[in-house]
Amino acid sequence: MSSLALFTAYSDDSLGLASKASSKLVLTSVAFQDHITRNLLLRPHFQLSDPLRGKRKAPRKRVEESCVQTQDQQEEREYVLDSAPPTLTLAQKLGLVASPAGRLTEDEWARVKARSVQQGDSAQPCAICREEFCLQPQVLLSCSHVFHRACLQAFERFSGRRCCPMCRKELYEARVIHDAARLFRHQCATRIQACWRGYLARRRYRKLSKSICPKDKQLRRKHFEAKLQELNDSFVRYCHTDTEAFLSDINRSLSSSRRVFQQLERKHVSEPQERDWDRIQSQVVQRGVWDCPICLTALCSRSLPAEAGASSHQQRRRTALLSCSHLFHQLCLEAFEAFSIESRPSCPLCRSVYHKKLI
């Protein structure tokens, strides 16, 4: 074979190898570009839609048969959202990029849920809105984090990425659960039972407090005050007379009794003898009060010592000694008796009936 033929054959082989390498390179770049475009740049907004909503509606008879199930069973049913596996990209088919993991099985979901229950995520507020779950729809991710279904939809819509808001895990799976709803119902039932038991205990305590006297002093005082008030109310309720007339009769009775006692007191008051006046005068000297309680000026008499510095006009004023051992100016006592409305006036200080003597 000539050298020209060998050169021609070698050139053809080189061109074939170069074309194969370039085509493989082009295919690899196209695969990577498709993968990046589908997963990073132009990723569609994933929605956590209910897979059962997209199905065709059943006929009326089937709907009526399905309504036999109770509402609690429908609410407690757990299912995986977006159960269809995602389509592989060209790079994943060629083995250039690792394929996504397979769908979780029921056993794996059970382990994920057990880890979430151990962490107490359902008992805590939602990490996105920081509100309690209550009875709102709740989703469990394959990374064991729990969120409101509406909150996770809003997060994916505004971020444009399908990743967990807590751990940033991508391409997760979501499952509808009802753990928070069960906890909320249990708490509501506990509160209702506590309120009802408290109402029963308070009603029983009120019944017992009416018949049994407490041992505490303050409670015992309140108990007897309530009993007395109850008796007074019953007395007023069963009294057929007018309350104002009843009270006015009591006032008239008291005033008449007071007048009778005053008359008896005046009759029993006897005029003191001379030695009684001496004893009364000694009591005045021992008390040592030398001012008239009416005019608040100094007293002076011939039989009593004059106060130092008293004027001659004050010494000429007569002094009246009462049987109750009180001293007054004669003119002051006469003025007081003139303005008194009683037939026999009483002492301005002790309000007792008196006999007087000028000294």
Side-chain angles (χ1 to χ4, degrees):
M1 184 179 294
S2 61
S3 59
L4 181 60
L6 292 174
F7 178 74
T8 303
Y10 178 75
S11 299
D12 292 339
D13 293 338
S14 300
L15 291 174
L17 293 174
S19 62
K20 289 181 180 180
S22 60
S23 62
K24 186 176 181 180
L25 181 61
V26 169
L27 183 61
T28 302
S29 61
V30 169
F32 276 116
Q33 185 178 3
D34 176 66
H35 179 77
I36 294 173
T37 302
R38 290 181 58 181
N39 288 276
L40 298 178
L41 301 179
L42 300 178
R43 175 177 299 177
H45 297 303
F46 292 93
Q47 297 182 356
L48 298 177
S49 59
D50 192 344
L52 300 179
R53 291 183 180 179
K55 293 184 178 181
R56 186 178 180 180
K57 294 184 179 180
R60 186 177 182 83
K61 293 183 180 179
R62 295 182 180 178
V63 172
E64 292 178 355
E65 292 177 357
S66 63
C67 289
V68 177
Q69 297 179 354
T70 61
Q71 185 177 1
D72 294 338
Q73 292 178 355
Q74 293 179 358
E75 291 180 354
E76 296 297 330
R77 184 172 53 87
E78 297 183 359
Y79 53 89
V80 179
L81 298 173
D82 297 334
S83 57
T87 57
L88 299 178
T89 62
L90 181 59
Q92 292 173 346
K93 292 179 180 179
L94 294 177
L96 301 175
V97 179
S99 301
R103 312 296 290 184
L104 296 180
T105 61
E106 289 296 329
D107 296 337
E108 293 174 344
W109 274 116
R111 288 193 293 269
V112 172
K113 186 175 181 180
R115 187 164 63 251
S116 175
V117 171
Q118 185 178 3
Q119 295 173 358
D121 294 338
S122 298
Q124 302 295 329
C126 175
I128 299 177
C129 65
R130 302 305 301 170
E131 293 182 0
E132 299 293 338
F133 288 101
C134 297
L135 297 177
Q136 299 180 9
Q138 177 189 14
V139 290
L140 171 66
L141 305 187
S142 56
C143 56
S144 75
H145 292 134
V146 181
F147 306 96
H148 279 129
R149 183 173 178 180
C151 295
L152 190 60
Q153 289 178 351
F155 178 80
E156 292 180 353
R157 183 170 60 253
F158 285 104
S159 64
R161 299 180 59 188
R162 185 179 174 85
C163 64
C164 175
M166 294 289 291
C167 61
R168 306 302 179 185
K169 179 181 179 181
E170 297 184 352
L171 299 178
Y172 56 79
E173 296 183 44
R175 183 183 180 91
V176 177
I177 60 174
H178 307 281
D179 293 350
R182 284 192 290 270
L183 290 175
F184 181 72
R185 292 193 190 96
H186 179 71
Q187 292 176 358
C188 293
T190 303
R191 292 179 181 177
I192 293 172
Q193 291 177 359
C195 292
W196 176 249
R197 290 170 182 169
Y199 167 74
L200 293 178
R202 288 190 296 271
R203 187 175 66 177
R204 183 181 178 186
Y205 175 76
R206 284 194 294 267
K207 290 182 179 179
L208 292 176
S209 61
K210 292 180 180 179
S211 58
I212 301 176
C213 180
K215 297 181 180 180
D216 186 67
K217 293 183 179 180
Q218 296 182 355
L219 296 179
R220 187 184 306 170
R221 181 178 180 181
K222 291 182 180 179
H223 173 76
F224 287 114
E225 287 178 355
K227 285 289 184 182
L228 182 60
Q229 184 65 32
E230 185 178 356
L231 292 175
N232 292 335
D233 295 340
S234 62
F235 174 74
V236 173
R237 184 169 57 253
Y238 289 106
C239 186
H240 299 286
T241 59
D242 188 8
T243 306
E244 296 295 334
F246 178 71
L247 295 177
S248 62
D249 292 340
I250 293 177
N251 291 332
R252 284 195 298 270
S253 300
L254 290 176
S255 61
S256 61
S257 300
R258 190 179 297 111
R259 285 194 300 269
V260 170
F261 282 114
Q262 288 178 357
Q263 292 176 2
L264 292 175
E265 184 180 5
R266 290 169 184 172
K267 289 180 179 180
H268 286 83
V269 174
S270 59
E271 185 175 359
Q273 301 297 325
E274 188 65 28
R275 59 181 181 181
D276 296 331
W277 284 116
D278 295 338
R279 180 177 53 81
I280 294 171
Q281 189 171 354
S282 63
Q283 292 179 2
V284 173
V285 174
Q286 290 177 3
R287 188 181 298 117
V289 178
W290 309 112
D291 292 334
C292 176
I294 298 177
C295 64
L296 301 179
T297 57
L299 297 168
C300 185
S301 65
R302 297 177 181 177
S303 58
L304 295 176
E307 186 180 0
S311 62
S312 60
H313 174 70
Q314 292 178 351
Q315 293 180 1
R316 288 194 298 268
R317 297 178 64 181
R318 300 295 299 274
T319 303
L321 174 63
L322 305 186
S323 58
C324 57
S325 72
H326 291 135
L327 288 173
F328 300 93
H329 283 134
Q330 179 185 3
L331 298 178
C332 296
L333 186 61
E334 290 177 355
F336 178 80
E337 293 175 349
F339 284 100
S340 178
I341 60 175
E342 298 179 357
S343 59
R344 186 174 181 179
S346 58
C347 175
L349 290 179
C350 62
R351 304 299 179 186
S352 62
V353 180
Y354 59 86
H355 291 277
K356 64 181 177 178
K357 179 182 179 181
L358 297 178
I359 57 176

